[in-house]
Amino acid sequence: MTGTTAPPPDSRGKLGLAKIRHGLRTPINHIIGYAEILREETADSLPAAFVTDLEKIHSSGYILLALINRHLGEDCTPNAEPDLHALSHELRTPVNHIIGYGELLAEQCDELGRPDLKPDLARIVSAAHTWLEMMEEHFGKHTNPPAEPPSNPPPPAATPPVLREHWVSIPPTEAPSRGPCTGHLLLADDDEPNRDLLRRRLEKLGYRITTCGDGLEALALVRDTLPDLVLLDMLMPGLNGDEVLVRIKSDETLSHVPVIMISALDQVEGIAHCIELGAEDYLAKPFNPIVLRARIGAVLEKKRLRDIEQVYLKQIDGERARSDRLLLNILPQPIADRLKKGEGHIVNTFDEVTVMFADLAGFTALSTAMPPTQLVRLLDRIFSAFDELADRHGLEKIKTIGDAYMAAAGLPFPHQDHAAAAARMAQDMHRTIDRIGAQCATGLKMRIGICTGPVIAGTIGQKKFIYDLWGDTVNTASRMESHGLPGRTQVAASTYGLLRGRFEFEERGTIDIRGKGPMKAYLLLSS
C-alpha cells in the first residue's frame, strides 16, 4: 500500500490516534512476549520445525507493530483519508499467520509430549483474536458503511457466520475424532506463510496438496491435474481468484471441479459475486480448524455424490442405448421412436412394397436328428446372416416364426427400387444357405416367395409389441413361398412385371394357390 494513511473520521486527532495505537499494540505485545518465552523454553528440547514456527509467530508480531507504527504512528497526518480496504487486508495478513501457526503448534503439543506449552499458545491465539476484534471495531465498520448506522449495534453473534468465523476461537482439541480425509486439493495463495499453514493443516487431515502462488499457474495446474477441489485466494498476481474461477467454470472440461474462495477480507459483494460465478463456498482467514475441515469435507462430499450421479447417468444412458438396440431388433426405428414418444396404436398404409417370405425346406426332419443346442445355434447363424443381408439391401426384417423369415422392402422408409432390392437379397440368401449347409453338412435349402403390392402395417400388443403387415400382398407372398420349390425363389406376377428385363426368370406357369385359385408364378434365376 502506498501513501500516508490515518485513522477513520471518527478517530481523527492526535489523542484518538494514540488511543487506537495503544489499544492495538497491547495484544501484539502479549503475542511477542509469550512467543519469546516459548522460544526460550523449547529451543533445546523440541524439534527444529516447532521452534521455526514459533519464530514465524514472533516475527509476525513485530511485522504487526511496524505496520501499526507506519499507518497509525505519531507522524501520520490525522486528516488524510486512508484506503480502509487495503489497510484492513495489510493488517490482517500477519495476524492470520499468528493464529494459524499458533493453532498448529497447539495441536502438536500432545504429540510431542509437551501439553504444558498449550496454555501459552492459547494466550497467543486469544491475543490475536482480540486484535482482530479491535481492528474491526476501528476499521471494519467503515469498509462498507450502512446507509443509516444503527444507534445500538447488534452483538457480534448477529453477524452472519461466514463473515465472523475467524473471530471464534474453538480449541483444536474439540475437533471430532475422524479418520484421514482423502482427495487431491490445489491451493492457490500468493502469501507463502498462508500456503504453508493451510498445506500443513490439510496434509495432516490426509489430503494430498499441490500449491502455487500465481493465478495463471493455478489455472494451468487445474488443467493439468484436475484436482478434486481448488482453494483460490481472492487477490493474486497474474490473475485474481475470481478471474481464475470464471475461466474454470467457462471451460467444459474443468467446470465440474469445485472451487472454494479464500480471503483475509470480509468482501461481502465479492463473496456473493464468486458464489454467483459458481464457487461452492467461501472461507475467511484465519481458518478455524473445525470449520475448515467441515466445509472442505462438505464440498468434497457433494463432488463425490455428483461423480456417483454421473456414473449412474452414464450407466442409465448405456442401459437406455442397450434397450433401444433390443427394441430395434423387433421394431423399425421410426416405429420405436413413435412408441417411445407415447403413441399408442400405430397404423400405416403403403401403396406399394415388396414382401418376402423364406422358409427352410427339410428343417423339421433336421430338428429331430440334431441336438437342440446345436439346432438353435444353426438357426441363429442363419438368421443373423439374413439380418446382415437385410441391412445391406435396404429391407426391413419383420419377424421370424420358427424356421421362417419375413422381410419387406419399401417400408417404413420409401425405397424407389424395392422389388429389385428384395430380388437381390433373395439371391444372396440362397448363396448363404448353400455355404452354411456345405459347412455343416446339413444339405439345407430355402423356399422364398415374393409379391409386390399395397399393405397395412402397424403395431399390436400392449406389453409385448410386434410390428406386422396385413393384406392380400402379404398372403400372396406367403403362398408363393409355401407353393414354391426348395432352393428357388418364386415371385408373383406383380413383382415380375417390375423386374422383367432386369433379372432372369423362368416362367413356371399357372399354379393353383390355396385360398387364391389359379395364379401365374415365376422363378427368379441366380444372377
Side-chain angles (χ1 to χ4, degrees):
M1 188 180 70
T2 59
T4 304
T5 60
D10 61 341
S11 301
R12 287 176 182 171
K14 292 292 184 181
L15 181 59
L17 192 66
K19 289 182 178 179
I20 294 174
R21 187 168 59 247
H22 174 75
L24 291 176
R25 279 177 175 170
T26 300
I28 300 305
N29 291 333
H30 296 166
I31 291 169
I32 293 172
Y34 283 117
E36 290 175 346
I37 291 173
L38 287 170
R39 279 195 312 169
E40 294 171 1
E41 294 179 355
T42 60
D44 299 326
S45 60
L46 289 179
F50 191 97
V51 178
T52 298
D53 288 346
L54 276 175
E55 291 285 357
K56 293 175 182 177
I57 292 174
H58 187 259
S59 61
S60 293
Y62 275 106
I63 290 172
L64 270 177
L65 281 181
L67 290 172
I68 291 171
N69 291 333
R70 174 184 173 188
H71 298 297
L72 305 174
E74 295 180 356
D75 295 334
C76 292
T77 305
N79 294 322
E81 289 290 345
D83 181 350
L84 295 177
H85 184 79
L87 176 60
S88 177
H89 182 274
E90 188 172 5
L91 292 174
R92 281 175 184 268
T93 298
V95 80
N96 288 344
H97 299 166
I98 293 169
I99 293 174
Y101 282 113
E103 290 175 343
L104 276 176
L105 292 178
E107 293 174 10
Q108 295 174 21
C109 285
D110 290 330
E111 300 172 5
L112 297 172
R114 292 297 303 271
D116 56 300
L117 304 179
K118 293 172 69 174
D120 284 346
L121 288 169
R123 293 183 182 97
I124 289 174
V125 173
S126 177
H129 283 296
T130 298
W131 191 93
L132 280 175
E133 292 181 6
M134 294 176 66
M135 192 196 71
E136 287 291 335
E137 178 184 352
H138 293 301
F139 298 101
K141 62 186 178 181
H142 297 283
T143 305
N144 294 294
E148 295 181 2
S151 55
N152 297 311
T159 306
V162 71
L163 304 182
R164 297 283 294 184
E165 66 186 30
H166 59 285
W167 292 352
V168 182
S169 178
I170 303 177
T173 54
E174 295 183 17
S177 176
R178 295 173 56 185
C181 307
T182 59
H184 174 214
L185 277 56
L186 172 63
L187 168 62
D189 191 322
D190 64 325
D191 186 84
E192 194 280 330
N194 280 341
R195 291 200 305 273
D196 178 63
L197 280 167
L198 191 50
R199 176 187 59 78
R200 289 168 57 181
R201 186 171 295 284
L202 294 175
E203 285 180 342
K204 190 172 181 180
L205 292 175
Y207 295 113
R208 180 166 60 90
I209 308 299
T210 300
T211 64
C212 66
D214 178 273
L216 288 173
E217 184 183 0
L219 188 60
L221 285 170
V222 174
R223 289 173 175 153
D224 291 342
T225 65
L226 285 179
D228 297 307
L229 172 63
V230 179
L231 299 168
L232 277 180
D233 189 22
M234 289 285 285
L235 302 176
M236 288 189 295
L239 288 174
N240 278 334
D242 57 346
E243 295 173 310
V244 177
L245 174 65
V246 168
R247 298 197 186 188
I248 290 175
K249 294 304 176 181
S250 61
D251 188 328
E252 291 185 2
T253 62
L254 306 178
S255 59
H256 67 284
V257 177
V259 176
I260 293 179
M261 305 304 296
I262 57 178
S263 178
L265 298 176
D266 295 337
Q267 300 160 305
V268 180
E269 294 182 0
I271 297 167
H273 181 58
C274 288
I275 298 298
E276 290 174 353
L277 291 175
E280 297 285 341
D281 206 340
Y282 169 85
L283 287 170
K285 306 172 188 175
F287 306 107
N288 179 286
I290 297 177
V291 174
L292 175 71
R293 178 170 185 160
R295 290 199 173 173
I296 290 178
V299 171
L300 289 175
E301 178 65 11
K302 286 172 62 178
K303 180 183 183 297
R304 186 184 71 85
L305 294 176
R306 282 197 296 265
D307 290 344
I308 293 175
E309 179 186 34
Q310 292 303 312
V311 172
Y312 287 156
L313 289 175
K314 288 181 180 179
Q315 291 177 349
I316 292 172
D317 289 341
E319 290 299 319
R320 183 182 293 115
R322 180 173 176 272
S323 176
D324 288 345
R325 288 193 299 271
L326 292 173
L327 190 61
L328 292 178
N329 284 334
I330 57 174
L331 295 175
Q333 183 167 346
I335 305 303
D337 291 341
R338 291 169 65 181
L339 285 175
K340 287 190 291 185
K341 290 178 181 178
E343 289 193 46
H345 296 289
I346 297 175
V347 180
N348 296 111
T349 58
F350 297 88
D351 294 334
E352 186 178 82
V353 300
T354 298
V355 180
M356 169 198 295
F357 277 89
D359 189 72
L360 289 168
F363 184 78
T364 301
L366 179 65
S367 65
T368 60
M370 184 177 287
T373 301
Q374 187 177 346
L375 183 72
V376 172
R377 287 177 179 172
L378 177 62
L379 272 180
D380 178 68
R381 180 181 176 185
I382 292 171
F383 287 163
S384 295
F386 289 174
D387 290 345
E388 292 179 4
L389 292 176
D391 289 340
R392 184 190 309 168
H393 292 288
L395 275 73
E396 185 68 42
K397 173 185 174 181
I398 303 302
K399 60 184 176 182
T400 60
I401 304 174
D403 60 329
Y405 189 94
M406 178 184 178
L411 63 79
F413 298 107
H415 195 305
Q416 293 181 350
D417 205 6
H418 49 83
R424 294 189 185 97
M425 178 171 171
Q427 291 172 335
D428 283 344
M429 290 170 74
H430 286 300
R431 297 187 188 99
T432 300
I433 286 296
D434 290 342
R435 184 181 69 255
I436 295 175
Q439 293 171 351
C440 300
T442 60
L444 284 174
K445 295 292 182 180
M446 290 216 71
R447 290 190 308 269
I448 299 177
I450 298 176
C451 182
T452 301
V455 300
I456 299 171
T459 59
I460 56 174
Q462 293 296 322
K463 294 183 179 179
K464 294 183 178 180
F465 290 100
I466 184 173
Y467 182 72
D468 212 344
L469 308 181
W470 300 272
D472 186 66
T473 301
V474 179
N475 294 334
T476 301
S478 177
R479 297 295 187 269
M480 287 290 111
E481 177 272 313
S482 62
H483 289 72
L485 302 174
R488 307 297 296 272
T489 298
Q490 184 166 263
V491 304
S494 58
T495 306
Y496 172 76
L498 294 174
L499 300 179
R500 182 174 52 188
R502 300 170 59 192
F503 289 80
E504 293 184 12
F505 290 92
E506 176 187 328
E507 186 173 348
R508 191 177 181 193
T510 301
I511 59 176
D512 188 24
I513 303 296
R514 180 169 52 88
K516 302 289 293 183
M519 295 186 68
K520 275 193 171 184
Y522 302 84
L523 297 175
L524 175 67
L525 301 180
S526 299
S527 59

